[in-house]
Amino acid sequence: MKYRVIKGTKDILPVETAAWQHVESVVRRTMHLFGYREIRTPIFEQTGLFARSIGELTDIVSKEMYSFLDRSKESVTLRPEGTAAALRAYIENSLGEQSPLTKLYYIGPMFRQERPQAGRLRQFHQFGAEAIGSPSPLIDVEMMLLAVEIYRSLGIDKFSLKINSVGCEQCRPRYKEILIAALKNIESQLSPDSRMRIDQNPLRVLDSKDEHDRLLTAGAPLIKDYLCGDCKKHFETLISLLDSLALPYEVDGRLVRGLDYYTKTAFEISSAMLGSQDALAGGGRYDLLVEELGGKRTPGIGFAAGIERLMMVLEKSGTHSFTVPPPDLFFVALDDHARRWSFGKTYELRRSGISAEIDYLARSIKAQMREANRQSARYVLVVGEAELASRTGKLKNMKTGEETEVTLDALNIPR
Ligand code: HAM
């Protein structure tokens, strides 16, 4: 029986991990620069946490969650996203009592049982940030700048930022009624998916990927024309801040995110280098969510970005080649005695921060030299009876071919 990786999941192989580590280090550095601190929450949580926050009627909760009963018959779910868990931890650990604004970030795997395709996996990775405690549009902009800065630091500068306001509990209900009435007029012509959404989640109809739906709803009422005073002011300030920072953006009145917890600001960053799954990152404000999950009413905003999609863009733009540094030194041992000596020396050198390698397969000298070349070792030292007797050897610089006499007991590898 040959086992295979599960559909929609992927191995990240050693040739790829250097690029992943590079991305992760840029993410961490930028998050720290912006004052965000890492939180690590469990991979699985009570199912109710996600159902409650993301919304029972969303695609994620109704179709895509990996939920199962554990041995004590509790329903648990592999996290489909990071926000709900971060807020659960924020409330449970009273993080808000330590400071009025809590800035968190996370990096890790998420799970959604979607139909796999390019850029859409069942186990994928996200980095994301959440700022909990401020209603100010300044923090909305900080969140966008944070995401953009990460992309720019990675050499990606071709992307588009779309923003919208999805209103709040004051203005959205009235808008929903108006939208439902408008959609009912064209109901019979809409796709089956959109028809189903009219009553339950009408805003998602505007976001339909179906071309015919998009044409039909081209003139549908948009929430921006129905925002209450507070939401309108928030959105206008956000826009003026973006303008003053010369951060290019596009207002997309149809941008509705696939998660129900958003209020006011919603945004998405997409790349034309990706196919139909072109969203690199998405986020928005969730001023009611902390309360919804049992905490005090506390405003918040966040975003999350898919790492596999980011890798696809890096690959396509040719900024993808990251490598782990090669060994500093490769010992070529001529006999067993020399192999044992080299083995001890390898450990000693590694302990002093020099990466040294030896041959573990008792190969011929020629094969050992080939191996040193394959690993692109910077230096090679041939060790045999004569070298061990004289306690000296010839350190070969593999780039220049130059050989230098060295003392075995005080080996010094040039940096
Ligand atoms: P989301 O839009 O569901 O938002 O996901 C954010 C990003 O994760 C997407 O833009 C995409 O790059 C990536 N992503 C999502 N699903 C997949 C998949 N199946 N395969 C590969 N990549 C995927 C959230 O998750 C929210 N929690 C964002 C947020 C944080 N809002 C406020 N705070």
Side-chain angles (χ1 to χ4, degrees):
M1 170 83 186
K2 227 179 181 178
Y3 294 102
R4 293 183 158 277
V5 75
I6 288 176
K7 194 172 160 196
T9 71
K10 253 170 72 173
D11 298 311
I12 302 168
L13 297 172
V15 290
E16 299 162 278
T17 43
W20 278 74
Q21 285 162 3
H22 175 70
V23 166
E24 285 160 9
S25 79
V26 168
V27 168
R28 287 181 198 287
R29 197 172 60 227
T30 317
M31 293 285 186
H32 296 160
L33 261 175
F34 278 67
Y36 289 72
R37 297 293 170 258
E38 187 180 15
I39 185 161
R40 300 188 189 196
T41 61
I43 295 289
F44 62 105
E45 299 268 355
Q46 290 176 302
T47 299
L49 170 69
F50 299 116
R52 186 77 197 263
S53 42
I54 301 168
E56 297 276 3
L57 301 174
T58 57
D59 285 352
I60 297 180
V61 174
S62 66
K63 307 193 241 187
E64 296 168 1
M65 292 208 302
Y66 280 101
S67 301
F68 57 96
L69 292 180
D70 68 7
R71 285 172 196 275
S72 54
K73 300 282 177 280
E74 185 181 4
S75 178
V76 294
T77 294
L78 301 185
R79 61 180 188 195
E81 58 111 47
T83 311
L87 293 202
R88 196 261 315 128
Y90 166 88
I91 298 165
E92 190 170 347
N93 298 288
S94 308
L95 299 184
E97 279 167 26
Q98 293 161 26
S99 93
L101 178 64
T102 307
K103 304 211 289 187
L104 306 172
Y105 81 90
Y106 47 85
I107 307 180
M110 308 289 161
F111 306 84
R112 297 183 194 175
Q113 193 163 5
E114 297 195 73
R115 199 168 44 76
Q117 65 181 83
R120 192 159 74 186
L121 289 144
R122 293 182 167 178
Q123 174 173 338
F124 58 98
H125 297 75
Q126 282 185 344
F127 60 83
E130 313 292 345
I132 311 153
S134 167
S136 165
L138 283 172
I139 199 97
D140 301 24
V141 176
E142 172 169 291
M143 209 45 87
M144 295 173 198
L145 289 173
L146 172 58
V148 163
E149 190 54 30
I150 290 173
Y151 291 124
R152 286 189 176 151
S153 304
L154 287 165
I156 300 173
D157 45 19
K158 287 196 197 77
F159 48 77
S160 62
L161 167 65
K162 287 188 184 139
I163 59 168
N164 193 18
S165 173
V166 294
C168 68
E169 83 267 40
Q170 300 300 324
C171 49
R172 196 158 39 193
R174 189 170 87 88
Y175 166 69
K176 254 184 171 172
E177 274 175 28
I178 293 167
L179 180 62
I180 290 176
L183 294 174
K184 290 271 183 205
N185 287 333
I186 48 168
E187 184 168 2
S188 60
Q189 301 167 63
L190 287 169
S191 67
D193 262 359
S194 289
R195 272 206 300 271
M196 248 169 43
R197 286 186 170 134
I198 292 184
D199 289 308
Q200 299 178 334
N201 210 345
L203 273 74
R204 293 284 290 162
V205 177
L206 298 183
D207 200 31
S208 168
K209 294 265 181 286
D210 185 296
E211 257 324 298
H212 191 59
D213 284 353
R214 291 189 85 82
L215 283 173
L216 280 170
T217 56
L222 295 178
I223 190 154
K224 69 176 173 50
D225 301 317
Y226 298 88
L227 294 177
C228 62
D230 188 30
C231 287
K232 197 158 182 265
K233 187 160 162 254
H234 189 94
F235 196 53
E236 282 168 2
T237 314
L238 173 75
I239 285 180
S240 78
L241 284 165
L242 291 174
D243 287 339
S244 68
L245 288 164
L247 186 63
Y249 65 91
E250 183 193 321
V251 176
D252 179 355
R254 287 167 160 261
L255 175 70
V256 189
R257 308 255 310 118
L259 304 96
D260 280 355
Y261 47 61
Y262 294 113
T263 50
K264 295 196 169 99
T265 311
F267 68 98
E268 235 165 58
I269 296 176
S270 56
S271 165
M273 285 180 150
L274 296 171
S276 63
Q277 303 301 313
D278 66 347
L280 275 173
R285 188 164 265 291
Y286 43 77
D287 290 346
L288 308 174
L289 188 52
V290 176
E291 191 178 26
E292 187 95 347
L293 295 177
K296 279 197 282 227
R297 183 173 267 231
T298 315
I301 179 157
F303 84 95
I307 304 185
E308 283 80 0
R309 293 187 192 176
L310 164 59
M311 288 300 176
M312 286 166 76
V313 172
L314 283 180
E315 225 165 290
K316 284 190 179 157
S317 52
T319 26
H320 188 252
S321 55
F322 303 97
T323 45
V324 173
D328 295 310
L329 176 63
F330 195 99
F331 285 105
V332 170
L334 302 187
D335 55 35
D336 273 350
H337 184 52
R339 202 178 329 277
R340 280 192 73 125
W341 180 88
S342 304
F343 179 68
K345 201 69 183 172
T346 301
Y347 179 52
E348 194 186 306
L349 288 171
R350 287 173 178 168
R351 290 194 71 198
S352 66
I354 290 165
S355 93
E357 280 298 333
I358 56 162
D359 167 52
Y360 286 103
L361 305 174
R363 281 179 275 194
S364 68
I365 305 173
K366 223 167 128 191
Q368 290 185 57
M369 282 307 283
R370 237 185 282 129
E371 182 59 24
N373 268 320
R374 197 190 63 80
Q375 294 190 20
S376 310
R378 294 175 51 232
Y379 288 90
V380 162
L381 186 65
V382 178
V383 188
E385 217 176 307
E387 285 77 12
L388 289 179
S390 66
R391 313 307 293 166
T392 58
K394 289 208 170 69
L395 186 68
K396 181 171 179 184
N397 181 325
M398 296 297 279
K399 215 181 222 151
T400 60
E402 191 188 333
E403 291 190 331
T404 332
E405 178 101 354
V406 289
T407 330
L408 296 194
D409 299 311
L411 257 185
N412 205 358
I413 310 299
R415 286 282 163 194

